[in-house]
């Protein structure tokens, strides 16, 4: 067809380049110089070679991510280890990882046997489960808190005037300026994944007995 380019039209094994993808018929003609000729045709189908894009690297809190690959030219499919895909043929499939940390997902685009592969790394971070302890009452203005740490770094916070001996210690002592009910919050940060929980402590006046 018009636009076809042969590297050598007399070479039976010539290379040929076309201008667009699709079906092309090429004719090979032989002439023995005695006006004896013969021809034969061959059909070649040119398919586009995929250049897939599996999406950007992400950091996710938890074990679930929505992937974001480029739409395939042919048929796309996800694969990987320690993972379950809700729809492996969808570029935006939901993926549930069985492990925390970096997990690699492979996006394959198969266009009638012409295959392209790309991969993306997702970093799954465990979400903390903060437990600040149980509500209590104490005599005096000081108390030892009792959080149950999970993962990451924990930090205590409280009302203005509250003094913690160590805000990152789950069992820190806390001193308040006056009697009453106080709420203290234990916040855990695991590489940007947060959770918090609060506990209420009632500080009660210590009696000073005078029998005389």
């Amino acid at each position: 067809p018009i636009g076809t380019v042969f590297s050598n039209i007399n070479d039976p094994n010539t290379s040929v380049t076309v201008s667009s993808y699709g079906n092309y018929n090429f004719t090979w003609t032989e002439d023995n110089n005695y006006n004896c000729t013969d021809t034969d045709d061959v059909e070649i189908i040119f398919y586009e070679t995929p250049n897939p894009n599996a999406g950007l690297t992400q950091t996710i809190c938890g074990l679930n991510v929505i992937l974001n690959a480029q739409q395939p030219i042919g048929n796309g499919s996800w694969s990987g280890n320690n993972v379950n895909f809700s729809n492996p043929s969808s570029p935006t499939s939901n993926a549930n990882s069985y492990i925390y940390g970096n997990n690699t997902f492979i996006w394959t685009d198969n266009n009638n046997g012409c295959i392209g592969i790309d991969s993306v790394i997702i970093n799954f971070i465990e979400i903390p489960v903060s437990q600040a302890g149980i509500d209590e009452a104490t005599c005096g203005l000081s108390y030892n808190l009792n959080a149950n740490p999970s993962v990451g770094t924990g930090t205590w916070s409280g009302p203005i005037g509250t003094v913690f001996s160590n805000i990152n210690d789950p069992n820190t002592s806390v001193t308040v300026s006056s009697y009453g009910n106080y709420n203290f919050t234990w916040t855990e940060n695991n590489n940007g994944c947060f959770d918090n929980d609060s506990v209420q402590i009632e500080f009660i006046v210590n009696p000073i007995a005078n029998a005389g």
Side-chain angles (χ1 to χ4, degrees):
I2 295 174
T4 301
V5 178
F6 299 96
S7 60
N8 182 349
I9 62 172
N10 299 121
D11 181 0
N13 304 119
T14 184
S15 68
V16 60
T17 303
V18 295
S19 56
S20 60
Y21 300 105
N23 293 18
Y24 288 79
N25 288 314
F26 302 104
T27 301
W28 175 248
T29 302
E30 293 182 343
D31 183 349
N32 71 353
N33 295 319
Y34 291 97
N35 292 321
C36 297
T37 62
D38 192 33
T39 64
D40 190 35
D41 293 336
V42 64
E43 181 183 47
I44 306 297
I45 304 174
F46 292 84
Y47 291 111
E48 183 176 356
T49 302
N51 184 24
N53 184 340
L56 299 176
T57 298
Q58 299 183 61
T59 297
I60 297 295
C61 294
L63 291 170
N64 182 272
V65 64
I66 297 176
L67 298 167
N68 190 26
Q70 179 179 289
Q71 286 289 338
I73 296 172
N75 296 314
S77 62
W78 286 106
S79 60
N81 296 321
N82 300 305
V83 62
N84 177 58
F85 300 99
S86 62
N87 184 359
S89 61
S90 169
T92 55
S93 174
N94 188 289
N96 287 296
S97 177
Y98 302 145
I99 59 172
Y100 290 108
N102 287 334
N103 203 347
T104 301
F105 303 100
I106 300 170
W107 177 240
T108 301
D109 189 349
N110 184 347
N111 187 24
N112 290 283
C114 300
I115 296 174
I117 296 174
D118 191 34
S119 62
V120 62
I121 296 174
I122 307 296
N123 186 17
F124 295 92
I125 305 296
E126 185 175 358
I127 301 173
V129 179
S130 296
Q131 298 180 56
I134 61 174
D135 297 344
E136 292 279 4
T138 186
C139 298
L141 293 172
S142 294
Y143 180 77
N144 287 332
L145 294 166
N146 188 27
N148 184 17
S150 58
V151 293
T153 300
T155 304
W156 283 106
S157 60
I160 294 174
T162 301
V163 178
F164 299 96
S165 61
N166 181 351
I167 61 172
N168 301 120
D169 181 359
N171 304 118
T172 184
S173 68
V174 59
T175 302
V176 296
S177 56
S178 60
Y179 298 102
N181 290 325
Y182 288 79
N183 286 316
F184 304 106
T185 301
W186 174 247
T187 301
E188 292 182 338
N189 176 2
N190 188 29
N191 293 297
C193 299
F194 293 88
D195 191 39
N196 61 67
D197 187 37
S198 295
V199 63
Q200 185 180 77
I201 306 299
E202 182 182 4
F203 293 85
I204 302 172
V205 179
N206 250 326
I208 300 175
N210 186 343

